[in-house]
């Protein structure tokens, strides 16, 4: 997340704080210092209330970090790389770089977070119950941490993606139907529904309650969840469609090749124009030696097209990025974007076996999506 800075590493997980976190720290500290603590622990100075508010807010964020660490540690133990944990205005987020490969992993990874919050909440409530008679600032603090953590656990268990509960729902539908794609569709749809509900309740509170601020807050959370549900849906749909898919399934087999020794003029008249090609692999005898594209031809003055051979203008194989049929599509697509090319030659044991083009991948993905097809969930589940 841009605007974040690193504060440290715990159990191999790097913790970042986004600047928006200070807004919530500020709001929470003040709301506790002017509401919660004076009500439950009267007769203190405003300075002590502010101090108690700050300590309680910081302890709440420690609980949020523990919640996120639970997600991240389970993810890592299941072989999913975790980039970092970021604290921001709406709480915390674990940046896990891959989607889980099985419903079981997704369920466990999602459920441990709220579980940790509920356990922390129960412990704080238990301690509060034990010490409730004592006249100490820790009593209202324990009560607050108990309440906040239990609310956090319950809120996160709401069954809308990308909330933890939405992931739990997704894993259950995935397991029941065997289709990660359908599970994502359902969980994100419920996620959008819950987000709209938050926005509506937020508007209602804003107009009809004595505390309009809570309404604005709820509305913002709803809006955030809605955006996240839509983004997760597009991303998860793409991930689901390409997960486990290989270059071999998307490549064009036996592409039209051109000999290296013909002139550019012949290339254009006999291959490019009749076949509508924008690029072609170049062969010398049976060997794949390079790739020629329209851009390469444009660099040569038109008068020289008769006499200059393809082999002189093409990009030689040593300068090309190539893939094998076993390569994952998931890795090949970013490779094309990074190199700013529209096609990758597919080689097996040095032999050209196909061409992977960006257009073909996108077309194939659209067709798969329309047919509700996806692969992978059986392959690795
Ligand atoms: Zn969570």
């Amino acid at each position: 997340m841009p605007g974040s800075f690193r504060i440290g590493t715990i159990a191999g997980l790097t913790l970042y704080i986004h600047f928006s976190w200070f807004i919530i720290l500020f709001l929470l500290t003040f709301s506790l210092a002017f509401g919660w603590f004076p009500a439950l622990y009267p007769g203190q100075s405003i300075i002590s209330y502010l101090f108690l508010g700050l300590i309680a807010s910081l302890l709440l964020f420690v609980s949020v970090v523990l919640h996120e660490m639970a997600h991240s540690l389970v993810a890592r133990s299941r072989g999913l790389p975790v980039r970092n944990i970021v604290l921001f205005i709406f709480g915390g987020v674990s940046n896990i770089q891959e989607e889980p490969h099985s419903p079981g992993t997704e369920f466990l990874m999602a459920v441990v977070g709220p579980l940790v919050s509920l356990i922390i909440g129960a412990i704080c409530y238990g301690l509060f119950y034990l010490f409730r008679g004592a006249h100490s600032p820790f009593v209202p603090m324990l009560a607050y941490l108990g309440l906040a953590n239990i609310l956090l656990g319950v809120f996160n268990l709401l069954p809308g993606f990308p909330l933890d509960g939405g992931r739990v729902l997704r894993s259950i539908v995935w397991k029941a139907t065997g289709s990660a794609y359908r599970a994502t569709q359902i969980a994100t749809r419920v996620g959008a529904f819950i987000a709209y509900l938050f926005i509506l309740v937020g508007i209602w509170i804003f107009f009809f309650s004595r505390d309009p601020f809570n309404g604005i807050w709820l509305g913002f959370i709803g809006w955030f969840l809605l955006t996240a549900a839509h983004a997760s849906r597009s991303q998860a749909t793409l991930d689901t469609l390409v997960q486990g898919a290989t270059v071999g399934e998307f490549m064009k087999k036996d592409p039209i090749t051109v000999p290296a020794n013909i002139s550019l003029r012949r290339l254009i008249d006999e291959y490019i124009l009749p076949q509508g090609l924008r690029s072609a692999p170049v062969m010398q005898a049976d060997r794949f030696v390079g790739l020629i594209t329209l851009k390469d031809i444009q660099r040569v003055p038109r008068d020289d097209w008769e006499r200059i051979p393809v082999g002189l203008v093409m990009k030689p194989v040593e300068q090309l990025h190539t893939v094998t049929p076993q390569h994952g599509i998931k890795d090949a697509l970013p490779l094309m974007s990074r190199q700013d090319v529209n096609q990758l030659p597919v080689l097996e044991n040095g032999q050209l076996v196909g061409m992977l083009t960006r257009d073909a991948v996108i077309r194939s993905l659209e067709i798969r999506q329309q047919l509700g097809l996806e692969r992978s969930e059986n392959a690795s589940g």
Side-chain angles (χ1 to χ4, degrees):
M1 228 185 264
S4 311
F5 60 91
R6 202 190 132 154
I7 58 163
T9 306
I10 322 158
L13 301 165
T14 315
L15 190 62
Y16 281 83
I17 283 184
H18 184 250
F19 77 91
S20 66
W21 177 79
F22 289 98
I23 300 173
I24 187 67
L25 178 70
F26 181 82
L27 290 174
L28 207 56
T29 301
F30 271 76
S31 118
L32 286 168
F34 290 98
W36 187 269
F37 282 107
L40 294 179
Y41 185 59
Q44 310 299 312
S45 70
I46 183 63
I47 298 293
S48 7
Y49 285 139
L50 281 171
F51 181 70
L52 287 173
L54 182 66
I55 299 292
S57 307
L58 290 174
L59 285 175
L60 179 63
F61 285 109
V62 171
S63 327
V64 171
V65 170
L66 292 174
H67 171 123
E68 293 306 327
M69 279 179 70
H71 289 310
S72 292
L73 291 176
V74 170
R76 212 173 52 184
S77 76
R78 293 291 178 115
L80 303 173
V82 181
R83 203 183 315 145
N84 51 44
I85 293 174
V86 184
L87 288 180
F88 71 124
I89 191 161
F90 295 123
V93 62
S94 302
N95 288 310
I96 295 160
Q97 277 167 296
E98 267 175 47
E99 284 294 308
H101 304 301
S102 74
T105 299
E106 170 139 66
F107 179 84
L108 198 67
M109 203 171 96
V111 88
V112 288
L115 209 61
V116 163
S117 295
L118 292 175
I119 290 170
I120 297 174
I123 292 172
C124 291
Y125 259 139
L127 290 172
F128 163 72
Y129 191 77
L130 277 178
F131 298 110
R132 68 192 182 286
H135 187 72
S136 154
F138 292 109
V139 176
M141 195 173 288
L142 285 168
Y144 173 72
L145 290 173
L147 178 69
N149 272 293
I150 284 174
L151 284 178
L152 201 68
V154 171
F155 170 76
N156 275 292
L157 280 175
L158 290 174
F161 204 81
L163 291 173
D164 297 333
R167 285 196 169 271
V168 169
L169 173 68
R170 189 177 103 108
S171 70
I172 292 168
V173 178
W174 185 358
K175 181 85 189 167
T177 64
S179 166
Y181 178 75
R182 210 167 309 154
T184 304
Q185 301 295 311
I186 291 171
T188 49
R189 222 164 270 164
V190 178
F193 175 76
I194 287 176
Y196 280 122
L197 217 60
F198 269 65
I199 295 171
L200 284 178
V201 173
I203 292 171
W204 189 83
I205 292 177
F206 181 76
F207 284 110
F208 300 107
S209 87
R210 262 192 254 156
D211 204 351
F213 175 76
N214 284 339
I216 297 176
W217 189 243
L218 209 58
F220 266 122
I221 291 180
W223 172 68
F224 167 73
L225 286 178
L226 191 63
T227 316
H230 284 313
S232 311
R233 186 166 178 180
S234 322
Q235 185 56 50
T237 302
L238 182 69
D239 283 351
T240 312
L241 288 169
V242 302
Q243 189 160 67
T246 60
V247 166
E249 297 165 48
F250 285 84
M251 71 182 185
K252 185 171 169 17
K253 289 188 188 88
D254 307 318
I256 300 165
T257 59
V258 300
N261 57 4
I262 62 169
S263 71
L264 288 179
R265 168 58 67 195
R266 262 190 73 193
L267 169 74
I268 293 166
D269 290 345
E270 290 174 27
Y271 294 90
I272 301 267
L273 293 178
Q275 311 283 352
L277 301 177
R278 301 188 67 82
S279 68
V282 182
M283 307 295 281
Q284 201 152 36
D286 278 348
R287 214 155 48 83
F288 169 64
V289 289
L291 188 76
I292 183 120
T293 66
L294 293 188
K295 262 189 210 157
D296 301 325
I297 303 171
Q298 281 162 356
R299 271 196 293 269
V300 179
R302 200 179 271 247
D303 295 342
D304 295 334
W305 284 0
E306 287 301 345
R307 57 176 191 87
I308 296 203
V310 169
L312 211 66
V313 182
M314 68 173 194
K315 202 172 235 180
V317 63
E318 301 81 45
Q319 290 175 27
L320 292 172
H321 282 270
T322 61
V323 284
T324 67
Q326 292 77 34
H327 249 97
I329 276 288
K330 233 178 162 176
D331 307 322
L333 286 177
L335 190 64
M336 276 198 255
S337 313
R338 266 204 309 276
Q339 307 298 330
D340 195 27
V341 293
N342 291 310
Q343 64 281 309
L344 292 171
V346 186
L347 301 186
E348 197 162 33
N349 305 323
Q351 293 284 322
L352 181 76
V353 290
M355 286 295 288
L356 185 72
T357 68
R358 202 194 288 261
D359 289 348
V361 174
I362 291 168
R363 249 199 322 274
S364 172
L365 285 177
E366 279 169 0
I367 293 168
R368 281 163 191 244
Q369 185 171 2
Q370 280 172 21
L371 294 175
L373 288 177
E374 84 249 50
R375 35 173 350 311
S376 88
E377 74 263 16
N378 304 322
S380 49

